[in-house]
């Protein structure tokens, strides 16, 4: 894929997330997608995962526990070869505690064969944990 095509693929995936279309988000992922997250003990669903079914469970659990405070704001996408960095800001409301958390983030993606194959997230896990 060209860098422009990769940028468009990522933008479509984030647009689907912001629209609440998780099936749409999942359609951009390879069957063996890998999500790599830091361990946040207070948040059981926030852990590394492999496979589209496991990632679908992540999104379902995330929706059970928290809801977005507006759209995830994508500020910049940088693509080089099959790697992409997405920088943005997100804010969520935790249903069980009635608290909010927000964080700037960096999502490091790998793209192969027109599908997203790997995500490594860097975000403020202390802010997440404090809200739970």
């Amino acid at each position: 894929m060209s860098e422009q095509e990769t940028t468009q693929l990522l933008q479509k995936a984030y647009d689907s997330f912001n629209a609440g279309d998780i099936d749409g988000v999942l359609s951009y992922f390879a069957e063996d997608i890998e999500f790599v997250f830091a361990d946040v003990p207070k948040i059981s669903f926030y852990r590394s995962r492999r496979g589209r079914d496991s990632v679908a469970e992540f999104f379902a659990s995330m929706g059970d526990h928290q809801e977005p405070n507006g759209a995830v704001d994508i500020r910049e996408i940088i693509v080089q070869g099959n790697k992409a960095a997405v920088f943005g800001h997100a804010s969520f409301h935790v249903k069980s505690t009635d608290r909010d958390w927000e964080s700037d983030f960096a999502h490091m993606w790998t793209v192969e064969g027109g599908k997203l194959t790997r995500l490594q997230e860097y975000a403020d896990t202390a802010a997440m944990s404090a809200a739970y």
Side-chain angles (χ1 to χ4, degrees), residues 75 105 110 126:
R75 297 184 175 160
F105 64 82
T110 303

Side-chain angles (χ1 to χ4, degrees), residues 30-87:
E31 193 63 41
D32 63 344
I33 180 83
E34 180 182 15
F35 271 29
V36 180
F37 295 130
D39 185 36
V40 182
K42 290 175 108 178
I43 309 172
S44 62
F45 69 88
Y46 191 82
R47 58 180 171 79
S48 295
R49 296 171 178 268
R50 179 177 283 281
R52 194 180 298 154
D53 290 342
S54 182
V55 170
E57 290 172 11
F58 162 77
F59 284 118
S61 293
M62 185 171 74
D64 289 344
H65 291 90
Q66 63 185 27
E67 56 197 3
N69 287 326
V72 172
D73 180 26
I74 302 306
R75 297 184 175 160
E76 186 173 11
I77 299 174
I78 300 171
V79 179
Q80 184 173 3
N82 73 332
K83 304 289 185 188
V86 177
F87 300 95

Side-chain angles (χ1 to χ4, degrees), residues 1 22 33 58 109 111 124:
M1 293 184 75
I22 300 306
I33 180 83
F58 162 77
W109 292 95
V111 182
D124 186 349

Side-chain angles (χ1 to χ4, degrees), residues 10-26:
L10 287 162
Q11 191 62 61
K12 287 177 185 177
Y14 285 98
D15 287 348
S16 292
F17 179 84
N18 283 334
D21 180 10
I22 300 306
D23 287 336
V25 175
L26 295 169

Side-chain angles (χ1 to χ4, degrees), residues 63-121:
D64 289 344
H65 291 90
Q66 63 185 27
E67 56 197 3
N69 287 326
V72 172
D73 180 26
I74 302 306
R75 297 184 175 160
E76 186 173 11
I77 299 174
I78 300 171
V79 179
Q80 184 173 3
N82 73 332
K83 304 289 185 188
V86 177
F87 300 95
H89 186 84
S91 176
F92 289 89
H93 177 76
V94 178
K95 296 174 183 179
S96 64
T97 64
D98 201 33
R99 293 184 188 152
D100 294 338
W101 68 267
E102 63 181 278
S103 174
D104 289 332
F105 64 82
H107 287 168
M108 311 308 291
W109 292 95
T110 303
V111 182
E112 296 174 358
K115 295 285 187 179
L116 299 168
T117 60
R118 186 173 194 275
L119 162 67
Q120 180 143 10
E121 179 177 75

